[in-house]
Amino acid sequence: MLFNSISYFIFFPLVLCAYWLSPKTFRRALLLVASYVFYMSWMPVYGFLLFCMTFANFGIGLLIDKRNQSSSFFLAIGVVLNLALLCYYKYTNFLIQTFNSFLGRFGEFQPVANTDIILPLGISFFVFEFIHYLVDVHRGGKPIKNIIDFALFAAFFPSQIAGPIKRYQDFVLQLGQALIPKVNEGIRLLLQGLFKKVALADNLALVANAGFSNPSALGGADALIACLAFTFQIYFDFSGYTDMGRGSAYLLGFSLPDNFNLPYIASNLSDFWKRWHISLSSWLRDYLYIPLGGGRCSRTRKHANLLLTMLLGGLWHGASWHFVVWGALHGAGLVISHEYDAFVSKTAALGRAHKRLPLRICSSILTLCFVILCWIFFRAESCSSAFSMVHSLVSGRESQIVYEVLVQTPVLVALVLYSIYGTFYCIYSKMPPLFAGLSLQAPSRAIIYLSVFFAAIAFAPSKASPFLYFQF
Amino acid sequence: MIMSPMKTLERIKTSSRPESKPSKRVNLIRPLIQPFFVLLVSILLLEGIFTVARIGERDYLEPDPVTGVALIPNKRITYRGENYSSRLINKYGMAWREPSLKKASGLFRIAVLGDSMIEGAQVEECQTMCHFLEQNLNANGSGQKFEVLNFGVPSFTLGQAYLLLKEKALSFQPDLVLIFVRDHASYGVTPPHLESGFPLGARPYFFVAANGALYKSNAYLMQWWRGQEAKRLRNLGWLRRHSHIWGALGAIVEQSMNWFMQTRANFDQFLSKACLNFSPKMIADKAPAPKAPSANPPASSDPSALPGEQRTTQCVRQYFPVVAAILREMNRSCDQKESKFAMIYIGSKDEAGLAEYDLMKSFASDKSIQLLDLTESFDKAQSHSTAPLFLSDAHFTPSGHEVFAKLIANDLRQWKWFQDRPKTLTDPR
């Protein structure tokens, strides 16, 4: 079930009504059932997989909590089990293809056939949540003792399929509190996410797809439009999903962590990763980079840790070499960025210059350019296709394939509208006294919500594209 | 006690101030004013935004008391589907640029009638067959200026095209009238099915009397016109013509209905599967016994009551006389206005299509009407074309329109009358 589908617009209000009308004691169970319905609406059999994984991790968590000599062993079993499942579903075909292409270089041989495994939705996200749970319990955290609470943590539908990757401590804390729905904020986030997804991301997808389907035929301007379109498509798509998830959670009285904080205005690459997919980057930091030694080791080791973390982060995004290249580029960029920061901090004049606005703007533009360049490898079908796009970017050719699609979609109007809303909301949240006199009554607010909902759907292209992060 | 003058003044001021008792009227009105104002602003904003973004511009047909269906004059059509197109319907209700009613001297004017294949569904005006045909004819360097007028209306049958010819097309003084006759044209002149609704069900019905004369019956059209759907469409005429919000709402409702139907079908399928898994015997018990196939189709005057192939074959036999009579009347109407009449035909290869093809050829030769038969040449062009000529909804792609126009232009150039005609056209009529 997609957040932007009619099914969800029927499912969610029903769940919401049932949830708030039911007695408090039944609410968690009801939410759990709703979460499984949500998950199984796509492929019922994978509901069973989720259930088994939940049950296994719950048991392992309790075993680790016994704090005897074998708790590390149980942790290892839990982590290996989760990673094995992730690898089986996500990387089997990738390994077969790599194996085939590697052996194919040495002469003729019978290639191994691909398997017809279908990737369970959101497995990358809930596997990371399980690993975080087991590690934190092993580090001394209190395990979840109630199976329903644990199952709800794993299957909570607003964050089930594409995150944000939750921390169990925060979630359990909320389960113990009297939940109060944040109605206005919830609806605002739901509508904001819907507009981002259907009016912006889905229309930008048409533009990006037109370019990336045949990158070698593009001229420089067309290639640039396609790259920019994908840059904003992925942001609006993913942050739109997160907004809708967070909005839904708010209405149910829960709060989910924020995943994005204006990533494209980041002043450097480290800053970018503090603003982009925050829950993943913090997970990678806490459960991969720091256990590898983090920054508290030699310079070479620190850079190697950084590179390895980003490589694995790239591979997490998709079982393909171009994702690995994307991760490697970000890793290399981060190493250079750290080295440059160290150099700047040693030179006082340079440090002062970097604090001034013109250089900060230059730094942000440079970071954005690098991020866009990296997105090419992320979006392209293969590495050769990505290089083709880079070649088109610098070529002197002329084409209007992508430009024509751009002007045919209503995306430019949608972008202007979103910019106006963004500016207004920024002023509103930074300077509330300015709007002190402006109080809207409930019916007026309802009219505005309905108008935005209607506008978002009206802007949607006839064919909706799935959320990009569903494939990860 | 003596009070200070200032205090006294303050007291007077306070006492003289009327008590601020909230009036009931104000209390009732205030909660209504803000939502009303917000609603008004929202509507205006949405209309403005949708106009700029060209959203809600897919509603372009309106009921017409004569032809049943007409394009809404001065309405912009923006289609974002498999293909993108944005076109303006002119004040005469043609999906075409605005032509002058009076023909310029020395201009050779061709009026093309037909359905959405001629109108050019899903393509830009400069990608339609009519545009390519005009371009092709003007590019031959003869010095003769050609103008092609597009009178295509989606869902139009031959009978409706005949009415449009008499009502509108001939008033533009065309030198040549081309009618695109689709394969299985005979099925298009069967009695309309009112339940198929607008625009398919809303059309007049033609029949041939025993003496061979063509008659028009408005009974079906009037029955539809008095029905709920027609009333609704007429009542909402202003909104359908002017409101982008209404257009967008219509598209959303249409998509939602499709989703509901699809979901229902999926659910039924799921239920039947689940039931079969649960107890095949139970289903078998409940299922009605299969009927023995009847050897002969039911004797009915309604061809739609017949299955598949028989339906269209019988249609051809039963209704080709109506097709022929309509074409004959079109030819006569053109003759009266000193316009030449010709038919564009692409036949199909199924049994009914082949039967109709033979009838069409013999009719054209009997009545000496020029038949631009593209059946073979279009097949050949399609097999040689690298680009697809049809969209998934069976309309032409821009390449399809171009090929279609090229074939028509070639056939026109080989036609004796067309070769001679331009030389005499330099004199104003």
Side-chain angles (χ1 to χ4, degrees):
Chain A
M1 201 183 295
L2 299 172
F3 277 172
N4 58 331
S5 66
I6 300 174
S7 327
Y8 189 72
F9 297 140
I10 297 168
F11 167 83
F12 185 61
L14 286 177
V15 170
L16 203 61
C17 292
Y19 179 76
W20 288 113
L21 291 175
S22 64
K24 276 182 186 173
T25 44
F26 293 124
R27 282 183 189 165
R28 290 179 202 178
L30 191 135
L31 214 49
L32 182 63
V33 172
S35 296
Y36 269 83
V37 169
F38 178 86
Y39 192 73
M40 288 164 78
S41 66
W42 168 67
M43 198 177 249
V45 70
Y46 282 153
F48 183 66
L49 174 81
L50 178 63
F51 173 78
C52 291
M53 286 179 75
T54 305
F55 202 75
N57 280 289
F58 177 71
I60 295 169
L62 291 181
L63 287 172
I64 293 171
D65 187 47
K66 285 190 174 167
R67 314 241 172 267
N68 53 26
Q69 285 179 335
S70 47
S71 67
S72 296
F73 170 72
F74 286 124
L75 172 68
I77 287 201
V79 171
V80 168
L81 178 78
N82 282 302
L83 289 178
L85 269 171
L86 182 64
C87 289
Y88 170 72
Y89 282 108
K90 198 165 176 174
Y91 301 107
T92 306
N93 282 332
F94 172 61
L95 290 173
I96 290 173
Q97 282 159 15
T98 309
F99 177 74
N100 284 344
S101 83
F102 178 73
L103 284 190
R105 285 161 198 253
F106 299 104
E108 276 190 22
F109 89 109
Q110 184 67 35
V112 182
N114 272 357
T115 60
D116 52 358
I117 298 167
I118 300 170
L119 182 72
L121 271 181
I123 190 166
S124 309
F125 291 91
F126 54 73
V127 157
F128 271 27
E129 284 184 349
F130 285 141
I131 292 175
H132 132 76
Y133 171 74
L134 297 179
V135 172
D136 277 18
V137 170
H138 184 257
R139 282 174 182 169
K142 217 172 146 190
I144 303 175
K145 294 278 171 71
N146 184 331
I147 180 76
I148 291 180
D149 288 357
F150 185 74
L152 188 58
F153 162 67
F156 187 56
F157 72 84
S159 68
Q160 188 182 45
I161 294 170
I165 301 166
K166 305 182 293 291
R167 297 298 171 103
Y168 87 94
Q169 296 89 341
D170 302 335
F171 194 77
V172 169
L173 198 68
Q174 292 183 58
L175 284 175
Q177 290 168 348
L179 301 175
I180 302 158
K182 295 176 183 169
V183 180
N184 283 326
E185 187 60 6
I187 296 176
R188 187 190 70 80
L189 277 172
L190 260 175
L191 292 174
Q192 179 180 299
L194 184 73
F195 192 86
K196 277 182 180 177
K197 167 62 186 155
V198 301
L200 292 161
D202 284 359
N203 281 308
L204 284 166
L206 300 175
V207 183
N209 293 349
F212 279 91
S213 59
N214 191 8
S216 54
L218 302 181
D222 254 3
L224 184 64
I225 295 171
C227 292
L228 282 171
F230 181 70
T231 302
F232 287 97
Q233 180 205 343
I234 193 163
Y235 168 67
F236 286 127
D237 192 281
F238 195 15
S239 70
Y241 182 91
T242 310
D243 285 347
M244 292 184 81
R246 290 179 64 219
S248 304
Y250 271 147
L251 290 173
L252 291 165
F254 288 86
S255 166
L256 291 177
D258 200 357
N259 234 1
F260 295 90
N261 180 22
L262 301 172
Y264 293 145
I265 61 159
S267 56
N268 56 48
L269 219 49
S270 307
D271 189 25
F272 173 78
W273 280 103
K274 281 173 195 156
R275 291 164 175 269
W276 177 272
H277 203 172
I278 300 164
S279 66
L280 173 73
S281 41
S282 59
W283 190 98
L284 288 173
R285 182 196 63 210
D286 295 346
Y287 301 100
L288 189 61
Y289 180 66
I290 291 173
L292 282 170
R296 292 180 180 180
C297 46
S298 71
R299 225 168 84 184
T300 322
R301 176 82 190 274
K302 180 184 151 190
H303 294 335
N305 290 342
L306 208 51
L307 263 172
L308 185 66
T309 305
M310 291 317 290
L311 273 175
L312 290 173
L315 197 60
W316 176 87
H317 279 87
S320 191
W321 285 110
H322 59 97
F323 287 115
V324 179
V325 173
W326 173 77
L329 280 172
H330 268 281
L334 279 169
V335 168
I336 294 167
S337 172
H338 283 194
E339 282 299 305
Y340 184 72
D341 280 351
F343 172 71
V344 167
S345 60
K346 279 177 198 164
T347 322
L350 208 57
R352 276 198 302 277
H354 266 274
K355 280 176 189 161
R356 288 195 187 121
L357 191 66
L359 217 58
R360 267 166 44 203
I361 291 172
C362 285
S363 179
S364 290
I365 292 171
L366 206 64
T367 307
L368 182 60
C369 289
F370 181 76
V371 168
I372 293 171
L373 188 75
C374 292
W375 283 136
I376 296 175
F377 287 86
F378 191 92
R379 170 60 182 82
E381 306 288 328
S382 62
C383 287
S384 61
S385 170
F387 283 118
S388 210
M389 182 57 100
V390 175
H391 184 256
S392 292
L393 263 177
V394 291
S395 77
R397 277 197 304 268
E398 276 186 22
S399 72
Q400 289 211 318
I401 306 164
V402 183
Y403 175 75
E404 271 178 17
V405 180
L406 176 74
V407 293
Q408 285 167 5
T409 63
V411 70
L412 292 176
V413 180
L415 275 170
V416 170
L417 287 176
Y418 188 74
S419 308
I420 294 170
Y421 158 77
T423 313
F424 178 80
Y425 186 71
C426 196
I427 298 169
Y428 174 77
S429 49
K430 293 247 166 80
M431 288 176 271
L434 274 180
F435 301 89
L438 186 76
S439 70
L440 286 173
Q441 297 161 4
S444 308
R445 235 180 269 146
I447 291 167
I448 293 171
Y449 291 152
L450 274 174
S451 304
V452 177
F453 178 75
F454 177 57
I457 294 175
F459 268 93
S462 54
K463 202 177 169 191
S465 42
F467 283 100
L468 280 175
Y469 263 68
F470 276 9
Q471 58 186 299
F472 306 136
Chain B
M1 201 175 93
I2 299 162
M3 287 172 80
S4 74
M6 283 303 284
K7 276 193 175 175
T8 318
L9 193 66
E10 261 179 30
R11 231 177 140 177
I12 292 165
K13 269 186 182 174
T14 320
S15 60
S16 65
R17 202 181 292 153
E19 271 188 42
S20 57
K21 256 191 181 176
S23 95
K24 270 189 181 176
R25 207 171 157 190
V26 170
N27 277 352
L28 277 174
I29 291 171
R30 197 171 285 167
L32 292 176
I33 287 176
Q34 196 192 54
F36 177 76
F37 179 72
V38 170
L39 182 68
L40 195 71
V41 171
S42 300
I43 289 172
L44 291 175
L45 265 175
L46 283 179
E47 271 299 337
I49 290 164
F50 288 176
T51 308
V52 176
R54 292 193 176 162
I55 287 170
E57 295 182 339
R58 275 185 64 182
D59 220 2
Y60 58 96
L61 291 173
E62 63 179 2
D64 183 271
V66 180
T67 54
V69 179
L71 289 166
I72 301 174
N74 302 316
K75 178 99 201 261
R76 179 166 281 282
I77 319 169
T78 301
Y79 192 88
R80 290 186 178 97
E82 195 176 349
N83 227 28
Y84 171 84
S85 68
S86 185
R87 296 162 66 180
L88 190 67
I89 301 169
N90 67 24
K91 67 177 178 190
Y92 302 111
M94 301 153 66
W96 200 239
R97 60 175 184 261
E98 199 128 319
S100 64
L101 257 176
K102 197 168 159 46
K103 191 175 65 177
S105 80
L107 184 71
F108 189 91
R109 198 171 246 186
I110 304 173
V112 190
L113 292 118
D115 57 9
S116 50
M117 302 294 269
I118 297 299
E119 180 258 337
Q122 290 205 52
V123 298
E124 294 277 11
E125 193 179 298
C126 61
Q127 295 170 330
T128 56
M129 182 279 284
C130 291
H131 174 84
F132 287 124
L133 180 65
E134 187 177 88
Q135 214 175 34
N136 193 314
L137 293 174
N138 281 321
N140 70 351
S142 68
Q144 172 73 61
K145 189 156 168 48
F146 291 91
E147 185 186 40
V148 178
L149 303 182
N150 182 345
F151 284 97
V153 178
S155 84
F156 252 31
T157 61
L158 216 49
Q160 288 168 299
Y162 165 53
L163 294 173
L164 188 73
L165 174 76
K166 285 210 304 186
E167 286 277 316
K168 205 178 279 176
L170 285 174
S171 56
F172 285 86
Q173 307 155 12
D175 300 289
L176 173 65
V177 172
L178 294 174
I179 173 80
F180 175 55
V181 186
R182 292 192 78 153
D183 56 339
H184 303 135
S186 310
Y187 187 60
V189 293
T190 56
H193 294 268
L194 296 179
E195 65 272 19
S196 54
F198 185 78
L200 294 173
R203 61 181 166 89
Y205 171 57
F206 288 84
F207 61 93
V208 180
N211 61 359
L214 179 73
Y215 287 93
K216 185 182 91 164
S217 163
N218 266 347
Y220 287 101
L221 182 59
M222 283 304 114
Q223 197 183 334
W224 177 82
W225 193 264
R226 284 191 292 268
Q228 286 299 314
E229 188 186 29
K231 272 183 194 163
R232 186 176 55 83
L233 285 170
R234 288 200 304 275
N235 290 341
L236 297 171
W238 188 89
L239 277 175
R240 295 181 74 240
R241 275 173 182 240
H242 302 288
S243 171
H244 287 76
I245 293 179
W246 185 261
L249 203 62
I252 292 169
V253 168
E254 190 187 311
Q255 274 189 4
S256 308
M257 292 311 289
N258 288 342
W259 178 87
F260 275 111
M261 270 145 68
Q262 184 64 45
T263 309
R264 202 181 147 182
N266 290 347
F267 188 66
D268 287 349
Q269 204 181 354
F270 168 76
L271 272 188
S272 66
K273 265 188 191 171
C275 287
L276 278 171
N277 289 339
F278 178 64
S279 164
K281 192 175 177 299
M282 192 173 76
I283 299 294
D285 291 346
K286 280 185 182 175
K291 281 179 187 170
S294 57
N296 298 311
S300 163
S301 62
D302 180 4
S304 64
L306 301 172
E309 191 60 32
Q310 287 166 336
R311 183 173 77 179
T312 46
T313 310
Q314 183 163 329
C315 265
V316 171
R317 283 194 214 110
Q318 193 175 339
Y319 286 97
F320 190 79
V322 182
V323 171
I326 292 172
L327 290 169
R328 198 181 61 224
E329 285 306 314
M330 285 178 116
N331 187 29
R332 189 178 295 164
S333 303
C334 288
D335 272 350
Q336 283 169 1
K337 295 276 182 180
E338 296 177 41
S339 296
K340 191 72 180 169
F341 178 69
M343 304 179 292
I344 306 166
Y345 186 67
I346 304 180
S348 61
K349 295 284 169 64
D350 57 77
E351 196 187 321
L354 289 171
E356 193 179 68
Y357 184 49
D358 291 339
L359 288 168
M360 188 65 78
K361 277 204 289 190
S362 65
F363 163 77
S365 108
D366 284 354
K367 300 290 170 194
S368 304
I369 297 174
Q370 182 64 25
L371 177 71
L372 307 179
D373 179 10
L374 308 181
T375 310
E376 291 300 320
S377 53
F378 195 83
D379 266 3
K380 207 184 275 180
Q382 198 173 359
S383 59
H384 285 107
S385 173
T386 48
L389 301 187
F390 290 99
L391 298 166
S392 58
D393 66 354
H395 287 114
F396 285 128
T397 58
S399 308
H401 278 282
E402 195 170 3
V403 168
F404 190 30
K406 198 176 158 190
L407 297 177
I408 294 171
N410 287 347
D411 272 23
L412 280 177
R413 288 199 186 99
Q414 284 163 21
W415 180 16
K416 181 83 174 61
W417 175 86
F418 191 79
Q419 287 166 0
D420 299 342
R421 184 69 180 169
K423 291 165 198 161
T424 63
L425 270 172
T426 42
D427 304 324
R429 217 177 251 186

